[in-house]
Amino acid sequence: MSRSRFPHLRRAITAALGVALVVGTAACGDSTSPTPSATRRPADARLPTHDQLLDVFGEDVERNIFYVPMAERRAELERIPWVEHATVMRLLPNHLRVSIVERTPVAFVRDGSRIGLVDANGVLLGMPPGAKGDAHYSFPVVTGIVASDPLSTRAARMKIFEQFTTALEGGGDKALDGISEVDLSNPEDLKALISTDSSDILVHFGEDHFLERYQKFEEHLPEWRTLYPKLASVDMRYDTQAVLE
């Protein structure tokens, strides 16, 4: 199908890159051109793009609505990386209603020199234009999340990240503001790069007691700075001592 033959479909998709998309099809026994309508997406929504939706629904224009493979279309939508869940319904006589729930990124992810985004389930997402400067994306960079790992592995590591950030948020005082990077490569030893007034310090938090260990680190940091002006790393995994480097 040539996309230029159906400008009305492009207009419909342009207006509906988010919450609710209504695509026109041909009703049973009706050969007239469809007149699609749509509900506009929220202003801060990101994807899917025009072309991605055209690729999914383009061949359904003027098709009998009862012949549109609903489950197949839903599956195609959910293969778009930013789509977490999709619902496709028939609206008689000649429309499809598509509802899309977009994935929500929770961190930047660094893999080598590349920066992307990742959601709470470990799904890797492309970086929308201007995302790094977007106020919606004020969160740390995580490492140890790579595309070659199974999704189950990435999901488990992001669960640890969620536990860590939730614990620090519970401590108040904007504890997370100083966390610039979180290393999830070892699930038994979460490491975080904490920005201080004079330098960044790598802190080993282990796999639990995150807030307690952060508070101890913060409490003793001035003393440690006095003793070790070039302090670069602190291991907080032990109950009775901290290992300084």
Side-chain angles (χ1 to χ4, degrees):
M1 181 195 74
S2 170
R3 289 173 181 164
S4 63
R5 290 177 55 203
F6 300 106
H8 52 275
L9 178 61
R10 178 173 290 276
R11 288 196 298 271
I13 291 175
T14 299
L17 292 179
V19 176
L21 162 68
V22 182
V23 180
T25 70
C28 183
D30 181 0
S31 61
T32 61
S33 298
T35 307
S37 60
T39 301
R40 288 190 178 272
R41 67 193 324 222
D44 62 346
R46 298 287 175 179
L47 291 175
T49 65
H50 309 153
D51 288 346
Q52 285 172 319
L53 289 176
L54 280 167
D55 287 342
V56 173
F57 291 103
E59 65 185 82
D60 295 322
V61 174
E62 298 182 354
R63 169 179 281 176
N64 186 313
I65 193 171
F66 294 105
Y67 294 160
V68 176
M70 311 292 278
E72 181 180 331
R73 294 293 177 263
R74 185 187 73 244
E76 289 180 73
L77 286 168
E78 292 180 349
R79 283 195 289 270
I80 298 173
W82 277 75
V83 175
E84 181 172 8
H85 178 69
T87 303
V88 183
M89 298 179 293
R90 292 185 178 89
L91 294 182
L92 298 178
N94 63 345
H95 286 80
L96 300 175
R97 179 177 296 277
V98 178
S99 297
I100 293 173
V101 176
E102 294 184 59
R103 294 189 182 277
T104 302
V106 298
F108 293 110
V109 60
R110 179 164 58 83
D111 184 5
S113 60
R114 294 184 299 175
I115 295 290
L117 293 163
V118 61
D119 76 353
N121 296 313
V123 176
L124 298 173
L125 307 167
M127 183 78 75
K132 290 191 70 174
D134 195 316
H136 290 87
Y137 296 142
S138 56
F139 31 53
V141 175
V142 299
T143 59
I145 299 288
V146 295
S148 58
D149 286 334
L151 180 59
S152 58
T153 297
R154 286 182 265 135
R157 292 183 181 181
M158 289 307 297
K159 184 65 175 179
I160 296 171
F161 175 79
E162 179 185 12
Q163 293 168 353
F164 174 72
T165 55
T166 300
L168 265 60
E169 286 173 346
D173 297 328
K174 298 183 178 180
L176 275 176
D177 289 355
I179 307 295
S180 61
E181 187 168 318
V182 178
D183 184 351
L184 303 171
S185 57
N186 181 357
E188 296 181 355
D189 181 21
L190 179 147
K191 297 181 285 291
L193 196 64
I194 299 180
S195 300
T196 67
D197 292 337
S198 55
S199 65
D200 292 341
I201 299 176
L202 183 67
V203 181
H204 296 252
F205 283 96
E207 58 184 330
D208 52 20
H209 304 297
F210 298 126
L211 179 58
E212 177 184 344
R213 291 169 179 172
Y214 175 83
Q215 291 173 334
K216 285 183 179 180
F217 165 80
E218 191 177 45
E219 177 186 352
H220 292 287
L221 181 59
E223 173 192 348
W224 295 335
R225 279 288 196 198
T226 301
L227 296 173
Y228 304 97
K230 296 183 179 180
L231 183 65
S233 175
V234 179
D235 193 334
M236 300 297 300
R237 290 176 289 175
Y238 309 103
D239 293 335
T240 59
Q241 65 177 349
V243 180
L244 311 179
E245 295 183 8

